[in-house]
Amino acid sequence: MRCRVVLERMGMVQMRGKAVGLALVGLGGLLLVAGLVVLAVVAPARSQFPDDVDTMRQYEGELVVMLDADALASGDLANLFIRNVPVEIDRSIQTLEVDGGKALVQDESVISGPAGPLLGSEDTYAIDRKTMEHIENFTDDDRVIEREGLVVGFPIGTDPEDYEGFNGDTLATNTISFVGEEELEGVDTYVFTASSGPDRITDPVVLASFPPALPKAQLEGLVPALGLSEDVAAQLGQALAALPDPVPLTYLYTYETNYWVEPDSGVLVDYEKLESRAVALDLGQQPVPVGEVMRLEYAQTDASVAEAIDDAEDASAALFWQGRVLPYGLLAGGVLAAVVGLPALRRRSEGPDSGPPASSPSSDPSDTVGQSA
């Protein structure tokens, strides 16, 4: 009777052990699958330009010189140029639409002086959400124009290498060169620089803000306002004599830009730029600059840098947890559960431990004594 009870109890224990083992193996399988899904699907989906970007960055600087189109039209040569105006720039970037790995992005900037807005721009880009390079327009938004290279920022997981960026004034690409690493406000950043020019401006939107040609008499009257030296002004006067009337004008663009990028998130932490647009005359194979019609120097504000650093740290932390901790934690948990559960699942049923044979009734000592009596 006791043997039967022991066997039954052992069987129940074995059944419970197998059930626990089966549950652990099943849990391990689920964790492994979940880890692989996060690693292969969720993490890559998060490692690209987000579908809900709506950021604002502020810059401050100086509008060194700018041609006043109204003064030019009215012949007010004394006030032809606006000079040395402190400016603030608000730049907003917003995701308008996404389609898988593609995004439609709006980049809008407003330059304001003490008296109010001076200049503004609005560009719409179609980009690859991983490379951040411009792609063919995938929407019915006709504001998107053909571009190449980086147009609105750096990719998540920025590499320490050169990139190609788009120059909107010349409608061509320029190299964005990696120059080193720098710690900025406690954040490790990659530093990039880009520069070009003077190059011929070809963007029709930019050219529309300047006169394509001027009568000789009006142009000769502008020479004193250009701030040229006497020798250069005399040479210009001689050159004008050989040109048609009205004189066709060419415009040239020069810029220098520095970028500080937090590489894990691709967030542009800091930014500074100098850009110049000059009027030129086609006197030969190369246009000859005559004078600047716009020069703007600006850099990101301290408050905006601090905000960008917060954004970079938040994005990097999310990428770390979603791309490393979560998937590899799930995979490790799945392996551990399987390792613990498999031995219990494989255990075979065994009988009770063998011991000395039970005595039969005929060999009971008390019976022997009774027979002797």
Side-chain angles (χ1 to χ4, degrees), residues 145-164:
I145 62 175
E146 289 297 323
R147 299 180 185 276
E148 298 178 64
L150 302 182
V151 290
V152 73
F154 288 79
I156 293 175
T158 298
D159 293 316
E161 62 184 25
D162 295 350
Y163 290 87
E164 291 298 310

Side-chain angles (χ1 to χ4, degrees), residues 178 180-191 260-261 270:
F178 172 74
E181 301 181 31
E182 183 177 329
E183 184 177 296
L184 187 65
E185 302 294 333
V187 173
D188 293 329
T189 66
Y190 287 165
V191 184
W260 287 262
V261 181
D270 200 2

Side-chain angles (χ1 to χ4, degrees), residues 6 28 42 105 127 139 151 163-165 183 186 194 221 228 230 267 271 286 298-299 311-313 320 328 339 367:
V6 170
V42 178
V105 181
I127 64 168
T139 73
V151 290
Y163 290 87
E164 291 298 310
E183 184 177 296
L228 304 176
E230 292 183 3
V267 171
Y271 177 89
Q286 296 293 331
Y298 59 97
D311 290 345
E313 290 177 337
F320 176 76
Y328 291 109
V339 167
D367 290 344

